[in-house]
Amino acid sequence: MKYITILLTACLLVACETKPKEWTYLKTIKLEGVNPIGIADKGGELWLSDGDHNRLVQLNDEGEIIRTIDSLDRPMHIDADERYLFVAEYGNDRVSNLYEDISQKNGFKQTPFWVGIKDSLDAPASVSFYDAELAIADFYNNRILYDDGVDWISFGKEGNAKGEFYYPTDVQITDSLIWVADAYNNRIQIFDKKGNFKKQIGQGQKMNAATGLFVDKTEVFVTDFENNRVLIFDYDGMLKQELKEGIAKATDLLIKDNMLHIINYRSGELVLYDLQSIKE
C-alpha cells in the first residue's frame, strides 16, 4: 500500500508539472505622452522607442518614465544587451549604439555603426544584436543586412516570393537563424546566417501588417497591427494562441520577468500578459 501511495503521488506531481498553460491578460498601463514603437530589455531595464517624440524612454514597473534619451530621429525597433542600446533611426537612415557615459548630460553617448556596404540604408526599421552579430531591417530597400562579426552580407529584394520582402519591419537573430517580420507580405520569414531562405510562417492567418516579432526558446510572437491582435506560433508555424484583450495597434513585444509585454502604439499603452494554467 505504501508503494502505491508513493506511485500515485508521483503521478499527481507529474500531472501538475505538465498541465498546459496559456498567456492570460493581466493589465494595461497607460503611458503618459509616449507612443511606443519598439521595446527592449537592457539588463533588467525596460526601454521603449517613442518615435513620435524622437526619443527613447526607460520605464519603471508602474510605467512611469525614469530617464529619456532625446534628439534621435524617428527611432523604431530597438535592441539591447547589458551595456548597449541599439537603435534603428528611421528618419536619418542610420543605426546607432548608445552606451552609458557619465560624462554625458543624459548619461549616454551615441556612436553610429559603420555599415560595410557600398550603398546606404533607406529608413532602417529594426536592429537585432546577438553576441557579436548584428542584423538590420532596411525598410525601403526591402532587404536584411547581417554582420557575423567579421563580414556583412545583404539579402532580399522587393517582392512576395520566398526570400523577398515587402517592407521588412522587424528582425531578430537567434542561435542559428535570422527571423524577419515581412510586414506587408503578412508573414514571418526565417533564414540561415548565410541569408538562405529556410521557411515562412503565419501566411495562412490573414494577418494585416506583421509589424513586430519576438522569438523565445519554443515560440514565435507576432504583432498583427491592423487586426489588433498578437499571434503565437510554435517553430513549425502552428498557431498556438491568439491574444486580443487590451491589444490595439500593437507594434512590438517581448518577455521580461516571465511576463509578456506588448506595446500599443496609437493609444500609448503597455499591455501585460502572464502565463497561467488552463482551467479545466
Side-chain angles (χ1 to χ4, degrees), residues 84-87 89 95-99 108-113:
Y84 295 102
L85 283 162
F86 303 89
V87 186
E89 292 189 73
V95 171
S96 300
N97 70 335
L98 305 172
Y99 62 92
F108 283 85
K109 186 173 182 179
Q110 183 174 9
T111 303
F113 277 115

Side-chain angles (χ1 to χ4, degrees), residues 130 133 146 153 173-178 191-195:
Y130 183 85
E133 304 166 38
Y146 170 69
I153 62 170
I173 306 170
T174 56
D175 183 52
S176 61
L177 298 170
I178 302 170
F191 301 83
D192 67 19
K193 291 183 178 178
K194 300 294 184 182

Side-chain angles (χ1 to χ4, degrees), residues 172-174 178-180 188 190 213-221 235 253-255:
Q172 183 176 335
I173 306 170
T174 56
I178 302 170
W179 305 71
V180 182
I188 302 299
I190 302 99
L213 79 154
F214 178 77
V215 184
D216 75 355
K217 293 180 180 179
T218 60
E219 296 176 320
V220 184
F221 300 75
Y235 274 22
L253 68 177
L254 58 71
I255 296 174

